[in-house]
Amino acid sequence: MPVINKNIQVVFGTGDILARIGCKSDSASGVIQFIENEPMPIGQSVEPSDDMMEIDDAPVTFIFNKIESLDAVISQLQKLKDIMGGDNKYEWTASGRIVEKNNS
Protein backbone atom coordinates (compact mmCIF):
# COMPACT_ATOMS: atom_id res chain seq x y z
CA MET A 1 0.00 0.00 0.00
CA PRO A 2 1.94 2.99 -1.17
CA VAL A 3 0.64 5.92 0.87
CA ILE A 4 3.22 8.49 -0.14
CA ASN A 5 2.46 11.39 2.20
CA LYS A 6 1.27 10.07 5.52
CA ASN A 7 -0.96 12.93 6.75
CA ILE A 8 -2.67 14.97 4.09
CA GLN A 9 -5.99 16.36 5.26
CA VAL A 10 -8.58 17.81 2.91
CA VAL A 11 -11.34 19.70 4.70
CA PHE A 12 -14.59 19.82 2.78
CA GLY A 13 -17.57 22.06 3.47
CA THR A 14 -16.86 25.53 2.15
CA GLY A 15 -16.99 24.95 -1.62
CA ASP A 16 -13.31 25.60 -2.20
CA ILE A 17 -12.24 22.04 -3.13
CA LEU A 18 -12.63 20.94 -6.73
CA ALA A 19 -12.71 17.22 -7.53
CA ARG A 20 -11.46 16.26 -11.00
CA ILE A 21 -11.61 12.77 -12.46
CA GLY A 22 -9.65 11.17 -15.24
CA CYS A 23 -8.49 7.83 -16.55
CA LYS A 24 -5.87 6.28 -18.77
CA SER A 25 -6.77 6.17 -22.44
CA ASP A 26 -7.54 2.44 -22.11
CA SER A 27 -9.77 3.12 -19.05
CA ALA A 28 -7.78 0.52 -17.05
CA SER A 29 -6.94 2.97 -14.23
CA GLY A 30 -8.75 6.01 -12.96
CA VAL A 31 -7.96 8.94 -10.71
CA ILE A 32 -9.74 11.58 -8.73
CA GLN A 33 -7.78 14.70 -7.84
CA PHE A 34 -8.67 17.30 -5.25
CA ILE A 35 -7.46 20.85 -5.86
CA GLU A 36 -8.12 24.18 -4.19
CA ASN A 37 -10.47 26.48 -6.04
CA GLU A 38 -12.21 29.77 -5.51
CA PRO A 39 -15.19 29.17 -3.20
CA MET A 40 -18.44 28.38 -5.00
CA PRO A 41 -21.71 26.72 -4.02
CA ILE A 42 -21.03 23.12 -2.98
CA GLY A 43 -21.91 20.74 -5.81
CA GLN A 44 -21.92 23.39 -8.53
CA SER A 45 -20.82 21.99 -11.88
CA VAL A 46 -17.62 23.29 -13.39
CA GLU A 47 -16.89 23.13 -17.08
CA PRO A 48 -14.26 20.44 -17.71
CA SER A 49 -10.87 21.62 -18.84
CA ASP A 50 -9.25 20.42 -22.06
CA ASP A 51 -5.90 20.36 -20.25
CA MET A 52 -4.35 16.94 -19.81
CA MET A 53 -4.14 15.89 -16.16
CA GLU A 54 -0.87 14.66 -14.77
CA ILE A 55 -0.76 12.52 -11.64
CA ASP A 56 1.27 15.14 -9.77
CA ASP A 57 -0.94 18.11 -10.80
CA ALA A 58 -2.90 18.10 -7.54
CA PRO A 59 -1.90 18.01 -3.89
CA VAL A 60 -4.19 14.98 -3.36
CA THR A 61 -4.74 12.24 -5.93
CA PHE A 62 -6.49 8.91 -5.45
CA ILE A 63 -5.44 6.32 -8.05
CA PHE A 64 -7.67 3.31 -8.64
CA ASN A 65 -6.22 0.32 -10.50
CA LYS A 66 -9.18 -1.96 -9.76
CA ILE A 67 -12.86 -1.12 -9.84
CA GLU A 68 -13.27 -3.10 -6.60
CA SER A 69 -11.07 -0.53 -4.86
CA LEU A 70 -13.31 2.25 -6.12
CA ASP A 71 -16.39 0.32 -4.94
CA ALA A 72 -14.85 -0.05 -1.46
CA VAL A 73 -14.27 3.72 -1.16
CA ILE A 74 -17.77 4.51 -2.46
CA SER A 75 -19.25 2.09 0.09
CA GLN A 76 -17.45 3.79 2.97
CA LEU A 77 -18.43 7.25 1.74
CA GLN A 78 -22.08 6.14 1.48
CA LYS A 79 -21.95 4.82 5.05
CA LEU A 80 -20.46 8.14 6.22
CA LYS A 81 -23.19 10.04 4.36
CA ASP A 82 -25.84 7.93 6.09
CA ILE A 83 -24.27 8.60 9.50
CA MET A 84 -23.87 12.35 8.94
CA GLY A 85 -27.42 12.54 7.59
CA GLY A 86 -28.83 11.21 10.85
CA ASP A 87 -29.51 7.66 9.69
CA ASN A 88 -30.02 5.62 12.85
CA LYS A 89 -28.70 2.49 11.16
CA TYR A 90 -25.26 2.80 12.82
CA GLU A 91 -23.93 3.28 16.33
CA TRP A 92 -20.63 3.92 18.10
CA THR A 93 -19.18 1.05 20.11
CA ALA A 94 -17.35 1.52 23.42
CA SER A 95 -14.07 1.04 21.53
CA GLY A 96 -14.90 3.89 19.13
CA ARG A 97 -15.91 1.83 16.10
CA ILE A 98 -18.96 2.56 13.96
CA VAL A 99 -21.08 -0.54 13.44
CA GLU A 100 -24.54 -1.37 12.17
CA LYS A 101 -27.14 -1.45 14.90
CA ASN A 102 -28.48 -4.82 15.81
CA ASN A 103 -32.23 -4.26 15.48
CA SER A 104 -33.31 -7.65 16.71
Side-chain angles (χ1 to χ4, degrees):
M1 175 184 77
V3 176
I4 297 171
N5 294 314
K6 301 277 185 206
N7 190 20
I8 294 177
Q9 298 178 13
V10 181
V11 181
F12 293 90
T14 60
D16 62 348
I17 305 286
L18 184 64
R20 303 187 311 180
I21 60 170
C23 63
K24 288 187 175 181
S25 58
D26 63 2
S27 300
S29 294
V31 301
I32 184 165
Q33 295 182 318
F34 300 98
I35 58 173
E36 288 185 76
N37 197 46
E38 290 297 316
M40 65 177 81
I42 295 171
Q44 177 178 322
S45 282
V46 177
E47 287 298 315
S49 169
D50 288 333
D51 298 335
M52 291 290 290
M53 280 176 37
E54 298 295 331
I55 292 296
D56 59 354
D57 279 352
V60 178
T61 301
F62 295 175
I63 303 169
F64 296 94
N65 290 322
K66 291 188 174 189
I67 199 161
E68 295 87 353
S69 300
L70 182 57
D71 287 339
V73 171
I74 290 169
S75 174
Q76 290 299 300
L77 289 171
Q78 184 61 55
K79 183 188 291 186
L80 181 59
K81 180 180 176 184
D82 292 345
I83 293 165
M84 291 177 67
D87 187 334
N88 290 323
K89 192 168 140 182
Y90 301 96
E91 65 186 353
W92 287 96
T93 65
S95 65
R97 293 186 56 214
I98 298 172
V99 298
E100 283 193 55
K101 283 185 179 178
N102 185 356
N103 292 326
S104 51

